[in-house]
Structures are given as C-alpha cells and as structure tokens.
Amino acid sequence: QTLAWLTDRDYLPEKLPDMSGSLHANGNIRGAFDELRWTARLGSNRFHIGDRSYELNALLKGDRHAARIEEELLRGSPGRFEVRGALPLSEQNEWDLDLNFSGLPSSHLVRDFDIDFPGVLGGEGRVVGRASDPDWSITLRHHSEDLLADGSGEAELSVWKEERAVLFTTRASLEDA
C-alpha cells in the first residue's frame, strides 16, 4: 500500500524494457518497526537492459518513509548513468533526486525510425518537491563530429516543470571543419 500512490500514476511506462543478468545484493535492517532503518548494496558485472550490457553499482539507505540513493552507477556500452538522492516511499516525503548521463549514442534513440542521427548525448536531470507532484528538469546535450558533411555541431535542449507549467529552451551551434 505504501507505493500504491506512485505505481498508479499515468506517467509510468506501460512496458519496461527486458532486463536480465545476475544481481548481487547484501544489506541489513535495524530497529523497531516505527524506527526501521535499512541499507542495501546492489551490484552486477553483467546486467542487460534490452540488448545492452552494463555494470551496476548501487548503495541505498532508507526507512519506512523514504529511500536515499547514496550512489548508483550504471556504466557500459553505451554510456554511463549516475543517480543520487531521495525517493519518497510515502506521500508525506519529497523527491530530491539528481541524474547525470554521458556517452549515449544518439542513434539509439531513433533506430526504430530508420533515421541517420550521428553523435553522442549527455546531460543531467533533477526531481524535487512533493511526492505526488514534483517539479523536475532535464537538460540534453548532443554533440556530433559528423552532423554535417563539412563540420560538427552541438545542440542543447532544457525542459522543466515548475508547479503546473512545462517550459523549455534550446541552443544550437555549428562549426566548419
């Protein structure tokens, strides 16, 4: 029941990508139920999401109301993801989560559409605020040496939600070879 408010949201994907591999975990739980505290370390040398292979390293700490990601690193081919911060396990707690990512081939985003989109993506994101209606922001950066026949280019897209508004900015630059 604690997570029901989170899993009933419309913004969760209907189907998650296939995940497989070995996951190693160890941890501890301490305290009486009202003051329960827990710690968990997760790891994997061969964790697969779809057809991509990653190394996972995570340290989580929490209690009955909130979980804190002290470190979480997913690194592999392609790219690197890092997440840190607090996840609410009840509506009384708040989000405070940071995400950083780099080295993601942009071609993976459009491979189902038969579009040639060379380059690499990176960026960061943040989720803060009330558990049931957090504010969030994400910035995506795209860099390509092969964007044009005779030059390279960079583009940036920032999107954020504040209260009930979703806003964005863009920036692009092209350089001759």
Side-chain angles (χ1 to χ4, degrees), residues 135-166:
D135 289 335
W136 51 265
S137 65
I138 188 161
T139 297
L140 297 171
R141 287 182 201 82
H142 178 260
H143 176 81
S144 176
E145 296 295 330
D146 304 319
L147 191 59
L148 304 171
D150 58 353
S152 64
E154 291 185 358
E156 182 176 288
L157 170 66
S158 294
V159 182
W160 65 97
K161 176 198 164 276
E162 290 179 6
E163 298 177 6
R164 296 283 182 215
V166 175

PDB file of all heavy atoms in Angstrom, residues 135-166:
ATOM      1  N   ASP A 135       8.405  18.919  -8.984  1.00  0.00           N
ATOM      2  CA  ASP A 135       8.952  19.694 -10.083  1.00  0.00           C
ATOM      3  C   ASP A 135      10.146  18.920 -10.618  1.00  0.00           C
ATOM      4  O   ASP A 135      10.780  18.159  -9.896  1.00  0.00           O
ATOM      5  CB  ASP A 135       9.401  21.078  -9.605  1.00  0.00           C
ATOM      6  CG  ASP A 135       8.209  21.971  -9.258  1.00  0.00           C
ATOM      7  OD1 ASP A 135       7.116  21.734  -9.813  1.00  0.00           O
ATOM      8  OD2 ASP A 135       8.377  22.888  -8.449  1.00  0.00           O
ATOM      9  N   TRP A 136      10.468  19.105 -11.887  1.00  0.00           N
ATOM     10  CA  TRP A 136      11.579  18.373 -12.487  1.00  0.00           C
ATOM     11  C   TRP A 136      12.213  19.216 -13.588  1.00  0.00           C
ATOM     12  O   TRP A 136      11.612  20.160 -14.097  1.00  0.00           O
ATOM     13  CB  TRP A 136      11.133  17.024 -13.037  1.00  0.00           C
ATOM     14  CG  TRP A 136       9.942  17.091 -13.950  1.00  0.00           C
ATOM     15  CD1 TRP A 136       8.639  16.911 -13.608  1.00  0.00           C
ATOM     16  CD2 TRP A 136       9.953  17.395 -15.358  1.00  0.00           C
ATOM     17  NE1 TRP A 136       7.825  17.065 -14.701  1.00  0.00           N
ATOM     18  CE2 TRP A 136       8.611  17.371 -15.797  1.00  0.00           C
ATOM     19  CE3 TRP A 136      10.941  17.680 -16.275  1.00  0.00           C
ATOM     20  CZ2 TRP A 136       8.234  17.612 -17.108  1.00  0.00           C
ATOM     21  CZ3 TRP A 136      10.586  17.935 -17.591  1.00  0.00           C
ATOM     22  CH2 TRP A 136       9.247  17.891 -18.000  1.00  0.00           C
ATOM     23  N   SER A 137      13.430  18.829 -13.925  1.00  0.00           N
ATOM     24  CA  SER A 137      14.128  19.468 -15.049  1.00  0.00           C
ATOM     25  C   SER A 137      15.058  18.447 -15.681  1.00  0.00           C
ATOM     26  O   SER A 137      15.539  17.534 -15.015  1.00  0.00           O
ATOM     27  CB  SER A 137      14.927  20.684 -14.579  1.00  0.00           C
ATOM     28  OG  SER A 137      15.958  20.281 -13.705  1.00  0.00           O
ATOM     29  N   ILE A 138      15.283  18.617 -16.973  1.00  0.00           N
ATOM     30  CA  ILE A 138      16.246  17.770 -17.673  1.00  0.00           C
ATOM     31  C   ILE A 138      16.906  18.610 -18.771  1.00  0.00           C
ATOM     32  O   ILE A 138      16.252  19.423 -19.416  1.00  0.00           O
ATOM     33  CB  ILE A 138      15.604  16.490 -18.250  1.00  0.00           C
ATOM     34  CG1 ILE A 138      16.683  15.560 -18.787  1.00  0.00           C
ATOM     35  CG2 ILE A 138      14.564  16.813 -19.296  1.00  0.00           C
ATOM     36  CD1 ILE A 138      16.267  14.131 -18.958  1.00  0.00           C
ATOM     37  N   THR A 139      18.200  18.431 -18.907  1.00  0.00           N
ATOM     38  CA  THR A 139      18.948  19.074 -19.979  1.00  0.00           C
ATOM     39  C   THR A 139      19.646  17.986 -20.783  1.00  0.00           C
ATOM     40  O   THR A 139      20.349  17.153 -20.216  1.00  0.00           O
ATOM     41  CB  THR A 139      19.996  20.056 -19.410  1.00  0.00           C
ATOM     42  OG1 THR A 139      19.310  21.097 -18.704  1.00  0.00           O
ATOM     43  CG2 THR A 139      20.830  20.676 -20.524  1.00  0.00           C
ATOM     44  N   LEU A 140      19.414  17.989 -22.086  1.00  0.00           N
ATOM     45  CA  LEU A 140      20.047  17.046 -23.008  1.00  0.00           C
ATOM     46  C   LEU A 140      21.040  17.811 -23.870  1.00  0.00           C
ATOM     47  O   LEU A 140      20.707  18.887 -24.386  1.00  0.00           O
ATOM     48  CB  LEU A 140      19.010  16.404 -23.932  1.00  0.00           C
ATOM     49  CG  LEU A 140      17.927  15.560 -23.299  1.00  0.00           C
ATOM     50  CD1 LEU A 140      16.881  15.193 -24.340  1.00  0.00           C
ATOM     51  CD2 LEU A 140      18.539  14.303 -22.712  1.00  0.00           C
ATOM     52  N   ARG A 141      22.235  17.273 -24.022  1.00  0.00           N
ATOM     53  CA  ARG A 141      23.247  17.860 -24.894  1.00  0.00           C
ATOM     54  C   ARG A 141      23.611  16.852 -25.973  1.00  0.00           C
ATOM     55  O   ARG A 141      23.866  15.690 -25.661  1.00  0.00           O
ATOM     56  CB  ARG A 141      24.494  18.228 -24.099  1.00  0.00           C
ATOM     57  CG  ARG A 141      24.297  19.420 -23.231  1.00  0.00           C
ATOM     58  CD  ARG A 141      25.574  19.806 -22.477  1.00  0.00           C
ATOM     59  NE  ARG A 141      25.212  20.594 -21.333  1.00  0.00           N
ATOM     60  CZ  ARG A 141      24.796  20.113 -20.169  1.00  0.00           C
ATOM     61  NH1 ARG A 141      24.739  18.824 -19.971  1.00  0.00           N
ATOM     62  NH2 ARG A 141      24.446  20.912 -19.195  1.00  0.00           N
ATOM     63  N   HIS A 142      23.651  17.301 -27.194  1.00  0.00           N
ATOM     64  CA  HIS A 142      24.001  16.443 -28.323  1.00  0.00           C
ATOM     65  C   HIS A 142      25.225  17.029 -29.011  1.00  0.00           C
ATOM     66  O   HIS A 142      25.265  18.221 -29.309  1.00  0.00           O
ATOM     67  CB  HIS A 142      22.831  16.359 -29.305  1.00  0.00           C
ATOM     68  CG  HIS A 142      23.132  15.543 -30.507  1.00  0.00           C
ATOM     69  ND1 HIS A 142      23.471  16.100 -31.704  1.00  0.00           N
ATOM     70  CD2 HIS A 142      23.170  14.197 -30.692  1.00  0.00           C
ATOM     71  CE1 HIS A 142      23.696  15.140 -32.586  1.00  0.00           C
ATOM     72  NE2 HIS A 142      23.519  13.982 -32.003  1.00  0.00           N
ATOM     73  N   HIS A 143      26.228  16.193 -29.266  1.00  0.00           N
ATOM     74  CA  HIS A 143      27.425  16.623 -29.980  1.00  0.00           C
ATOM     75  C   HIS A 143      27.703  15.619 -31.089  1.00  0.00           C
ATOM     76  O   HIS A 143      27.607  14.412 -30.885  1.00  0.00           O
ATOM     77  CB  HIS A 143      28.644  16.689 -29.055  1.00  0.00           C
ATOM     78  CG  HIS A 143      29.899  17.045 -29.795  1.00  0.00           C
ATOM     79  ND1 HIS A 143      30.206  18.337 -30.128  1.00  0.00           N
ATOM     80  CD2 HIS A 143      30.878  16.278 -30.293  1.00  0.00           C
ATOM     81  CE1 HIS A 143      31.351  18.344 -30.798  1.00  0.00           C
ATOM     82  NE2 HIS A 143      31.780  17.107 -30.914  1.00  0.00           N
ATOM     83  N   SER A 144      28.040  16.145 -32.276  1.00  0.00           N
ATOM     84  CA  SER A 144      28.364  15.262 -33.389  1.00  0.00           C
ATOM     85  C   SER A 144      29.463  15.869 -34.241  1.00  0.00           C
ATOM     86  O   SER A 144      29.407  17.042 -34.593  1.00  0.00           O
ATOM     87  CB  SER A 144      27.130  15.022 -34.259  1.00  0.00           C
ATOM     88  OG  SER A 144      27.482  14.241 -35.385  1.00  0.00           O
ATOM     89  N   GLU A 145      30.461  15.055 -34.541  1.00  0.00           N
ATOM     90  CA  GLU A 145      31.503  15.454 -35.492  1.00  0.00           C
ATOM     91  C   GLU A 145      31.018  15.261 -36.918  1.00  0.00           C
ATOM     92  O   GLU A 145      31.581  15.816 -37.850  1.00  0.00           O
ATOM     93  CB  GLU A 145      32.780  14.618 -35.270  1.00  0.00           C
ATOM     94  CG  GLU A 145      33.420  14.836 -33.927  1.00  0.00           C
ATOM     95  CD  GLU A 145      33.963  16.247 -33.735  1.00  0.00           C
ATOM     96  OE1 GLU A 145      34.370  16.877 -34.737  1.00  0.00           O
ATOM     97  OE2 GLU A 145      33.968  16.716 -32.596  1.00  0.00           O
ATOM     98  N   ASP A 146      29.977  14.453 -37.106  1.00  0.00           N
ATOM     99  CA  ASP A 146      29.500  14.083 -38.442  1.00  0.00           C
ATOM    100  C   ASP A 146      28.103  14.616 -38.732  1.00  0.00           C
ATOM    101  O   ASP A 146      27.406  14.095 -39.593  1.00  0.00           O
ATOM    102  CB  ASP A 146      29.469  12.559 -38.576  1.00  0.00           C
ATOM    103  CG  ASP A 146      30.812  11.930 -38.295  1.00  0.00           C
ATOM    104  OD1 ASP A 146      31.818  12.496 -38.740  1.00  0.00           O
ATOM    105  OD2 ASP A 146      30.840  10.886 -37.619  1.00  0.00           O
ATOM    106  N   LEU A 147      27.673  15.643 -38.017  1.00  0.00           N
ATOM    107  CA  LEU A 147      26.320  16.148 -38.205  1.00  0.00           C
ATOM    108  C   LEU A 147      26.138  16.728 -39.602  1.00  0.00           C
ATOM    109  O   LEU A 147      25.132  16.527 -40.254  1.00  0.00           O
ATOM    110  CB  LEU A 147      26.010  17.219 -37.156  1.00  0.00           C
ATOM    111  CG  LEU A 147      24.565  17.662 -37.039  1.00  0.00           C
ATOM    112  CD1 LEU A 147      23.674  16.488 -36.699  1.00  0.00           C
ATOM    113  CD2 LEU A 147      24.429  18.757 -35.998  1.00  0.00           C
ATOM    114  N   LEU A 148      27.157  17.422 -40.077  1.00  0.00           N
ATOM    115  CA  LEU A 148      27.149  17.989 -41.423  1.00  0.00           C
ATOM    116  C   LEU A 148      28.308  17.389 -42.210  1.00  0.00           C
ATOM    117  O   LEU A 148      29.265  16.915 -41.630  1.00  0.00           O
ATOM    118  CB  LEU A 148      27.306  19.512 -41.357  1.00  0.00           C
ATOM    119  CG  LEU A 148      26.266  20.242 -40.513  1.00  0.00           C
ATOM    120  CD1 LEU A 148      26.658  21.686 -40.346  1.00  0.00           C
ATOM    121  CD2 LEU A 148      24.910  20.129 -41.166  1.00  0.00           C
ATOM    122  N   ALA A 149      28.231  17.473 -43.527  1.00  0.00           N
ATOM    123  CA  ALA A 149      29.295  16.908 -44.363  1.00  0.00           C
ATOM    124  C   ALA A 149      30.638  17.589 -44.106  1.00  0.00           C
ATOM    125  O   ALA A 149      31.674  16.959 -44.201  1.00  0.00           O
ATOM    126  CB  ALA A 149      28.921  17.038 -45.834  1.00  0.00           C
ATOM    127  N   ASP A 150      30.622  18.868 -43.768  1.00  0.00           N
ATOM    128  CA  ASP A 150      31.885  19.590 -43.602  1.00  0.00           C
ATOM    129  C   ASP A 150      32.004  20.277 -42.237  1.00  0.00           C
ATOM    130  O   ASP A 150      32.613  21.321 -42.110  1.00  0.00           O
ATOM    131  CB  ASP A 150      32.062  20.610 -44.720  1.00  0.00           C
ATOM    132  CG  ASP A 150      30.923  21.610 -44.779  1.00  0.00           C
ATOM    133  OD1 ASP A 150      29.932  21.422 -44.041  1.00  0.00           O
ATOM    134  OD2 ASP A 150      31.021  22.570 -45.549  1.00  0.00           O
ATOM    135  N   GLY A 151      31.418  19.722 -41.211  1.00  0.00           N
ATOM    136  CA  GLY A 151      31.546  20.355 -39.906  1.00  0.00           C
ATOM    137  C   GLY A 151      30.860  19.582 -38.807  1.00  0.00           C
ATOM    138  O   GLY A 151      30.247  18.551 -39.023  1.00  0.00           O
ATOM    139  N   SER A 152      31.007  20.095 -37.602  1.00  0.00           N
ATOM    140  CA  SER A 152      30.416  19.453 -36.430  1.00  0.00           C
ATOM    141  C   SER A 152      29.346  20.367 -35.847  1.00  0.00           C
ATOM    142  O   SER A 152      29.221  21.530 -36.222  1.00  0.00           O
ATOM    143  CB  SER A 152      31.496  19.157 -35.393  1.00  0.00           C
ATOM    144  OG  SER A 152      32.054  20.369 -34.915  1.00  0.00           O
ATOM    145  N   GLY A 153      28.605  19.833 -34.909  1.00  0.00           N
ATOM    146  CA  GLY A 153      27.553  20.633 -34.311  1.00  0.00           C
ATOM    147  C   GLY A 153      27.231  20.196 -32.904  1.00  0.00           C
ATOM    148  O   GLY A 153      27.550  19.080 -32.488  1.00  0.00           O
ATOM    149  N   GLU A 154      26.638  21.117 -32.163  1.00  0.00           N
ATOM    150  CA  GLU A 154      26.168  20.840 -30.810  1.00  0.00           C
ATOM    151  C   GLU A 154      24.777  21.429 -30.655  1.00  0.00           C
ATOM    152  O   GLU A 154      24.469  22.466 -31.254  1.00  0.00           O
ATOM    153  CB  GLU A 154      27.087  21.472 -29.766  1.00  0.00           C
ATOM    154  CG  GLU A 154      28.429  20.829 -29.679  1.00  0.00           C
ATOM    155  CD  GLU A 154      29.270  21.409 -28.538  1.00  0.00           C
ATOM    156  OE1 GLU A 154      28.815  22.328 -27.840  1.00  0.00           O
ATOM    157  OE2 GLU A 154      30.374  20.910 -28.367  1.00  0.00           O
ATOM    158  N   ALA A 155      23.972  20.763 -29.868  1.00  0.00           N
ATOM    159  CA  ALA A 155      22.631  21.265 -29.566  1.00  0.00           C
ATOM    160  C   ALA A 155      22.319  20.962 -28.119  1.00  0.00           C
ATOM    161  O   ALA A 155      22.833  19.992 -27.547  1.00  0.00           O
ATOM    162  CB  ALA A 155      21.605  20.608 -30.479  1.00  0.00           C
ATOM    163  N   GLU A 156      21.501  21.805 -27.519  1.00  0.00           N
ATOM    164  CA  GLU A 156      21.102  21.607 -26.124  1.00  0.00           C
ATOM    165  C   GLU A 156      19.615  21.897 -26.008  1.00  0.00           C
ATOM    166  O   GLU A 156      19.114  22.858 -26.591  1.00  0.00           O
ATOM    167  CB  GLU A 156      21.893  22.553 -25.220  1.00  0.00           C
ATOM    168  CG  GLU A 156      21.576  22.377 -23.747  1.00  0.00           C
ATOM    169  CD  GLU A 156      22.456  23.261 -22.883  1.00  0.00           C
ATOM    170  OE1 GLU A 156      23.655  22.952 -22.764  1.00  0.00           O
ATOM    171  OE2 GLU A 156      21.934  24.250 -22.343  1.00  0.00           O
ATOM    172  N   LEU A 157      18.928  21.048 -25.279  1.00  0.00           N
ATOM    173  CA  LEU A 157      17.506  21.218 -25.000  1.00  0.00           C
ATOM    174  C   LEU A 157      17.312  21.100 -23.501  1.00  0.00           C
ATOM    175  O   LEU A 157      17.738  20.116 -22.899  1.00  0.00           O
ATOM    176  CB  LEU A 157      16.679  20.141 -25.720  1.00  0.00           C
ATOM    177  CG  LEU A 157      15.203  20.038 -25.343  1.00  0.00           C
ATOM    178  CD1 LEU A 157      14.445  21.292 -25.765  1.00  0.00           C
ATOM    179  CD2 LEU A 157      14.584  18.804 -25.967  1.00  0.00           C
ATOM    180  N   SER A 158      16.695  22.108 -22.911  1.00  0.00           N
ATOM    181  CA  SER A 158      16.367  22.071 -21.485  1.00  0.00           C
ATOM    182  C   SER A 158      14.852  22.140 -21.349  1.00  0.00           C
ATOM    183  O   SER A 158      14.208  22.999 -21.957  1.00  0.00           O
ATOM    184  CB  SER A 158      16.995  23.249 -20.742  1.00  0.00           C
ATOM    185  OG  SER A 158      18.395  23.147 -20.749  1.00  0.00           O
ATOM    186  N   VAL A 159      14.305  21.216 -20.575  1.00  0.00           N
ATOM    187  CA  VAL A 159      12.869  21.171 -20.326  1.00  0.00           C
ATOM    188  C   VAL A 159      12.688  21.074 -18.820  1.00  0.00           C
ATOM    189  O   VAL A 159      13.406  20.338 -18.151  1.00  0.00           O
ATOM    190  CB  VAL A 159      12.214  19.943 -21.003  1.00  0.00           C
ATOM    191  CG1 VAL A 159      10.710  19.924 -20.770  1.00  0.00           C
ATOM    192  CG2 VAL A 159      12.535  19.893 -22.484  1.00  0.00           C
ATOM    193  N   TRP A 160      11.727  21.836 -18.271  1.00  0.00           N
ATOM    194  CA  TRP A 160      11.494  21.757 -16.844  1.00  0.00           C
ATOM    195  C   TRP A 160      10.036  22.019 -16.523  1.00  0.00           C
ATOM    196  O   TRP A 160       9.321  22.649 -17.291  1.00  0.00           O
ATOM    197  CB  TRP A 160      12.414  22.700 -16.074  1.00  0.00           C
ATOM    198  CG  TRP A 160      12.209  24.158 -16.319  1.00  0.00           C
ATOM    199  CD1 TRP A 160      11.481  25.022 -15.562  1.00  0.00           C
ATOM    200  CD2 TRP A 160      12.733  24.934 -17.399  1.00  0.00           C
ATOM    201  NE1 TRP A 160      11.524  26.274 -16.096  1.00  0.00           N
ATOM    202  CE2 TRP A 160      12.289  26.253 -17.223  1.00  0.00           C
ATOM    203  CE3 TRP A 160      13.534  24.641 -18.501  1.00  0.00           C
ATOM    204  CZ2 TRP A 160      12.612  27.275 -18.103  1.00  0.00           C
ATOM    205  CZ3 TRP A 160      13.856  25.660 -19.371  1.00  0.00           C
ATOM    206  CH2 TRP A 160      13.404  26.956 -19.170  1.00  0.00           C
ATOM    207  N   LYS A 161       9.615  21.463 -15.392  1.00  0.00           N
ATOM    208  CA  LYS A 161       8.259  21.657 -14.885  1.00  0.00           C
ATOM    209  C   LYS A 161       8.359  22.415 -13.574  1.00  0.00           C
ATOM    210  O   LYS A 161       9.090  22.020 -12.680  1.00  0.00           O
ATOM    211  CB  LYS A 161       7.567  20.323 -14.648  1.00  0.00           C
ATOM    212  CG  LYS A 161       6.183  20.482 -14.030  1.00  0.00           C
ATOM    213  CD  LYS A 161       5.718  19.177 -13.426  1.00  0.00           C
ATOM    214  CE  LYS A 161       4.575  19.372 -12.492  1.00  0.00           C
ATOM    215  NZ  LYS A 161       4.913  19.743 -11.132  1.00  0.00           N
ATOM    216  N   GLU A 162       7.634  23.510 -13.506  1.00  0.00           N
ATOM    217  CA  GLU A 162       7.507  24.280 -12.269  1.00  0.00           C
ATOM    218  C   GLU A 162       6.030  24.435 -11.997  1.00  0.00           C
ATOM    219  O   GLU A 162       5.301  24.983 -12.838  1.00  0.00           O
ATOM    220  CB  GLU A 162       8.153  25.659 -12.409  1.00  0.00           C
ATOM    221  CG  GLU A 162       9.654  25.634 -12.481  1.00  0.00           C
ATOM    222  CD  GLU A 162      10.235  27.027 -12.640  1.00  0.00           C
ATOM    223  OE1 GLU A 162       9.480  28.015 -12.573  1.00  0.00           O
ATOM    224  OE2 GLU A 162      11.446  27.117 -12.855  1.00  0.00           O
ATOM    225  N   GLU A 163       5.596  23.968 -10.853  1.00  0.00           N
ATOM    226  CA  GLU A 163       4.185  23.979 -10.488  1.00  0.00           C
ATOM    227  C   GLU A 163       3.382  23.331 -11.601  1.00  0.00           C
ATOM    228  O   GLU A 163       3.542  22.160 -11.864  1.00  0.00           O
ATOM    229  CB  GLU A 163       3.742  25.392 -10.125  1.00  0.00           C
ATOM    230  CG  GLU A 163       4.495  25.918  -8.907  1.00  0.00           C
ATOM    231  CD  GLU A 163       4.142  27.334  -8.553  1.00  0.00           C
ATOM    232  OE1 GLU A 163       3.227  27.902  -9.161  1.00  0.00           O
ATOM    233  OE2 GLU A 163       4.787  27.865  -7.644  1.00  0.00           O
ATOM    234  N   ARG A 164       2.554  24.038 -12.334  1.00  0.00           N
ATOM    235  CA  ARG A 164       1.718  23.436 -13.383  1.00  0.00           C
ATOM    236  C   ARG A 164       2.194  23.758 -14.798  1.00  0.00           C
ATOM    237  O   ARG A 164       1.542  23.419 -15.771  1.00  0.00           O
ATOM    238  CB  ARG A 164       0.264  23.900 -13.232  1.00  0.00           C
ATOM    239  CG  ARG A 164      -0.360  23.438 -11.948  1.00  0.00           C
ATOM    240  CD  ARG A 164      -0.728  21.985 -12.082  1.00  0.00           C
ATOM    241  NE  ARG A 164      -1.369  21.515 -10.879  1.00  0.00           N
ATOM    242  CZ  ARG A 164      -1.221  20.306 -10.420  1.00  0.00           C
ATOM    243  NH1 ARG A 164      -0.456  19.456 -11.024  1.00  0.00           N
ATOM    244  NH2 ARG A 164      -1.830  19.931  -9.330  1.00  0.00           N
ATOM    245  N   ALA A 165       3.345  24.413 -14.945  1.00  0.00           N
ATOM    246  CA  ALA A 165       3.833  24.800 -16.271  1.00  0.00           C
ATOM    247  C   ALA A 165       5.032  23.946 -16.693  1.00  0.00           C
ATOM    248  O   ALA A 165       5.883  23.618 -15.874  1.00  0.00           O
ATOM    249  CB  ALA A 165       4.237  26.268 -16.259  1.00  0.00           C
ATOM    250  N   VAL A 166       5.091  23.595 -17.976  1.00  0.00           N
ATOM    251  CA  VAL A 166       6.254  22.931 -18.555  1.00  0.00           C
ATOM    252  C   VAL A 166       6.881  23.930 -19.516  1.00  0.00           C
ATOM    253  O   VAL A 166       6.216  24.455 -20.413  1.00  0.00           O
ATOM    254  CB  VAL A 166       5.873  21.630 -19.284  1.00  0.00           C
ATOM    255  CG1 VAL A 166       7.079  21.032 -19.980  1.00  0.00           C
ATOM    256  CG2 VAL A 166       5.266  20.637 -18.308  1.00  0.00           C
TER     257      VAL A 166
END
